[in-house]
PDB file of all heavy atoms in Angstrom:
ATOM      1  N   GLN A  49     163.207 -93.911 152.507  1.00 36.00           N
ATOM      2  CA  GLN A  49     163.335 -94.918 153.708  1.00 36.00           C
ATOM      3  C   GLN A  49     162.306 -94.530 154.770  1.00 36.00           C
ATOM      4  O   GLN A  49     162.330 -93.456 155.197  1.00 36.00           O
ATOM      5  CB  GLN A  49     164.767 -94.809 154.230  1.00 36.00           C
ATOM      6  CG  GLN A  49     165.705 -95.506 153.245  1.00 36.00           C
ATOM      7  CD  GLN A  49     165.300 -96.999 152.974  1.00 36.00           C
ATOM      8  OE1 GLN A  49     165.080 -97.750 153.828  1.00 36.00           O
ATOM      9  NE2 GLN A  49     165.483 -97.439 151.761  1.00 36.00           N
ATOM     10  N   VAL A 161     139.850 -95.444 113.866  1.00 93.00           N
ATOM     11  CA  VAL A 161     140.991 -96.125 113.721  1.00 93.00           C
ATOM     12  C   VAL A 161     140.804 -97.614 113.514  1.00 93.00           C
ATOM     13  O   VAL A 161     141.319 -98.288 112.497  1.00 93.00           O
ATOM     14  CB  VAL A 161     142.101 -95.934 114.898  1.00 93.00           C
ATOM     15  CG1 VAL A 161     143.252 -96.878 114.857  1.00 93.00           C
ATOM     16  CG2 VAL A 161     142.512 -94.468 114.920  1.00 93.00           C
ATOM     17  N   PHE A 195     154.534 -92.822 104.963  1.00 94.00           N
ATOM     18  CA  PHE A 195     154.407 -91.946 103.836  1.00 94.00           C
ATOM     19  C   PHE A 195     153.036 -92.131 103.088  1.00 94.00           C
ATOM     20  O   PHE A 195     152.783 -91.659 102.112  1.00 94.00           O
ATOM     21  CB  PHE A 195     155.439 -92.385 102.728  1.00 94.00           C
ATOM     22  CG  PHE A 195     156.863 -92.430 103.249  1.00 94.00           C
ATOM     23  CD1 PHE A 195     157.620 -93.551 103.518  1.00 94.00           C
ATOM     24  CD2 PHE A 195     157.424 -91.197 103.832  1.00 94.00           C
ATOM     25  CE1 PHE A 195     158.805 -93.571 104.033  1.00 94.00           C
ATOM     26  CE2 PHE A 195     158.704 -91.164 104.345  1.00 94.00           C
ATOM     27  CZ  PHE A 195     159.405 -92.425 104.480  1.00 94.00           C
ATOM     28  N   THR A 215     160.090 -86.133 106.886  1.00 97.00           N
ATOM     29  CA  THR A 215     161.460 -85.669 106.520  1.00 97.00           C
ATOM     30  C   THR A 215     162.547 -86.507 107.101  1.00 97.00           C
ATOM     31  O   THR A 215     163.397 -86.924 106.409  1.00 97.00           O
ATOM     32  CB  THR A 215     161.654 -84.176 106.882  1.00 97.00           C
ATOM     33  OG1 THR A 215     160.624 -83.432 106.202  1.00 97.00           O
ATOM     34  CG2 THR A 215     163.016 -83.799 106.560  1.00 97.00           C
TER      35      THR A 215
END
Side-chain angles (χ1 to χ4, degrees):
Q49 289 298 317
V161 170
F195 309 113
T215 297

